[in-house]
Amino acid sequence: MKKAVVPILLALMLALSACGNKAANEGASNAGSANAPAGNGAANEATGTNAAAGSNASSGNAAGSAAEAPSGTVTYQSENGPVEVPAHPQRIVGLTNAPNVVSLGGTLVGVDEWTNKNPLFTDKLKGVQIVSENDLEKIIELQPDLIIAGSYMKNLDKLKEIAPTVVYTWGKLDYLKQQVEIGKLLGKEKEAQAWVDDFTLRAAETGKAIKAKIGENATVTVFETDNKDFYVFGNNWARGTELLYQAMGLSMQEKVKKDALGPGYYTLSPEVLSQYAGDYVVLSRSSASDNAIMKTAAWTNVPAVKNKRVIEIDTEASSYSDPTTLEYLLDIFKKGFLGS
């Protein structure tokens, strides 16, 4: 689209959609709220204060199958109703679920800033523009044939004027069903389902091997620190939580179940870390942060720390639950728990 036309088209589009337009659900974006660690987008596309689905996530009844339609399009049954989308989209703007798209080899032309910051996707996103739901003119210039957005985002009606827009509500589907849905959307359902079947089997086998080594009842706790606060996570807030607790079937410490399983995460003061720490600890922290908090008595007195049962993961590379991230974490946990 010629650049001179863009402002005119944008102005017309905004005028047409202005009446009755209200901001969508103002829940936090995938990057998380000001007071919460980035979630899973999703996860975790990271999740902020979006309501976590907890252990009932897999019962969500969101998007269904895609039915063939003429003119190289398919009718995708989204959670908001049928959407006519390209059978094989070539220019995707992923405001959410971009890691799922990348994992299936989809072609992104626009991506959210959090996925762009993730070191697992750096090479795969070279030349891809960083956009948000507010960058309407920039998105128009990218000429997308498909936009993937979150139900909490603003400007959904305006995005739909630019290109077919499919909306997902974080947590409505579990992490495996979400990948299959992205597969349906991209015309790659078989590939997505094949990965799910294979990964589920491999993760379960790894979980059995880990429990055989550390004990059936040994507990694992996932902490995160940003050098100011500590967080503890439930079973669906990225950082490998879906993998550890759902896929591998490892046990969660009782106090973590009580405080973090429902909301997804729980903020802790350093003084109570030992009360939430399991026999083993997975610690998520930024590779760019300093180590000062790791030298405090509050941390060094945690039994798992004393016993050298801590597995560290990089927060920036662990805040999603897509295939690329899960395969990366599966390898880390194999080495951390099994030494291989």
Side-chain angles (χ1 to χ4, degrees):
M1 184 177 296
K2 294 183 178 179
K3 231 170 162 81
V5 179
V6 170
I8 299 172
L9 177 57
L10 179 61
L12 178 60
M13 183 185 72
L14 296 177
L16 289 173
S17 60
C19 294
N21 180 52
K22 293 182 180 181
N25 180 347
E26 293 184 1
S29 74
N30 289 329
S33 72
N35 299 314
N40 170 28
N44 117 157
E45 267 115 268
T47 47
T49 56
N50 289 325
S55 58
N56 295 321
S58 61
S59 63
N61 293 315
S65 61
E68 287 293 338
S71 306
T73 64
V74 295
T75 301
Y76 177 76
Q77 299 296 333
S78 79
E79 63 182 58
N80 293 330
V83 181
E84 202 78 4
V85 301
H88 301 286
Q90 299 299 309
R91 298 186 62 81
I92 304 167
V93 168
L95 300 175
T96 65
N97 298 101
N100 302 89
V101 173
V102 173
S103 296
L104 279 167
T107 306
L108 288 162
V109 294
V111 70
D112 66 284
E113 65 173 309
W114 301 100
T115 303
N116 182 74
K117 290 178 179 178
N118 190 311
L120 298 182
F121 303 107
T122 301
D123 292 339
K124 297 177 182 179
L125 294 176
K126 286 180 179 177
V128 177
Q129 295 295 306
I130 300 172
V131 291
S132 75
E133 71 266 32
N134 298 316
D135 297 322
L136 297 175
E137 184 171 343
K138 193 172 182 180
I139 292 174
I140 289 173
E141 291 177 347
L142 293 174
Q143 302 181 52
D145 57 6
L146 176 66
I147 298 172
I148 303 174
S151 61
Y152 56 86
M153 289 183 171
K154 300 176 182 179
N155 296 325
L156 291 177
D157 289 340
K158 297 168 187 175
L159 291 170
K160 291 173 185 176
E161 295 287 338
I162 300 173
T165 300
V166 171
V167 172
Y168 292 108
T169 298
W170 181 83
K172 195 165 187 176
L173 295 173
D174 70 24
Y175 69 110
L176 297 176
K177 290 182 179 179
Q178 184 65 71
Q179 181 64 14
V180 173
E181 280 305 316
I182 297 296
K184 292 176 183 178
L185 181 61
L186 303 186
K188 297 185 177 186
E189 181 180 357
K190 289 182 179 179
E191 293 95 320
Q193 188 63 58
W195 176 82
V196 166
D197 294 342
D198 177 61
F199 179 79
T200 301
L201 179 62
R202 288 186 288 114
E205 289 175 345
T206 301
K208 288 179 182 178
I210 291 173
K211 285 186 282 187
K213 181 174 181 179
I214 70 175
E216 285 285 337
N217 298 319
T219 55
V220 179
T221 297
V222 181
F223 287 129
E224 181 170 295
T225 181
D226 57 11
N227 284 323
K228 293 184 295 183
D229 297 302
F230 273 93
Y231 307 92
V232 63
F233 297 98
N235 70 350
N236 69 337
W237 211 261
R239 284 80 172 172
T241 55
E242 292 89 349
L243 175 54
L244 292 165
Y245 301 123
Q246 296 185 43
M248 290 182 177
L250 302 183
S251 297
M252 185 181 291
Q253 202 258 24
E254 286 300 320
K255 200 161 179 60
V256 178
K257 285 183 186 179
K258 178 178 178 293
D259 292 334
L261 190 57
Y265 74 95
Y266 187 71
T267 307
L268 302 174
S269 62
E271 292 76 20
V272 300
L273 284 174
S274 292
Q275 297 178 29
Y276 292 82
D279 300 306
Y280 291 79
V281 164
V282 172
L283 176 66
S284 166
R285 67 186 186 93
S286 172
S287 57
S289 64
D290 62 48
N291 294 318
I293 203 165
M294 314 311 300
K295 298 175 183 178
T296 62
W299 176 252
T300 58
N301 286 334
V302 171
V305 176
K306 290 182 177 180
N307 295 326
K308 298 184 179 180
R309 292 177 173 177
V310 177
I311 299 170
E312 288 199 18
I313 59 176
D314 180 0
T315 299
E316 283 80 7
S318 307
S319 56
Y320 294 95
S321 297
D322 65 286
T324 300
T325 302
L326 290 168
E327 294 287 0
Y328 163 77
L329 291 173
L330 180 60
D331 186 55
I332 288 177
F333 294 151
K334 278 183 177 178
K335 292 175 181 175
F337 286 107
L338 302 174
S340 61

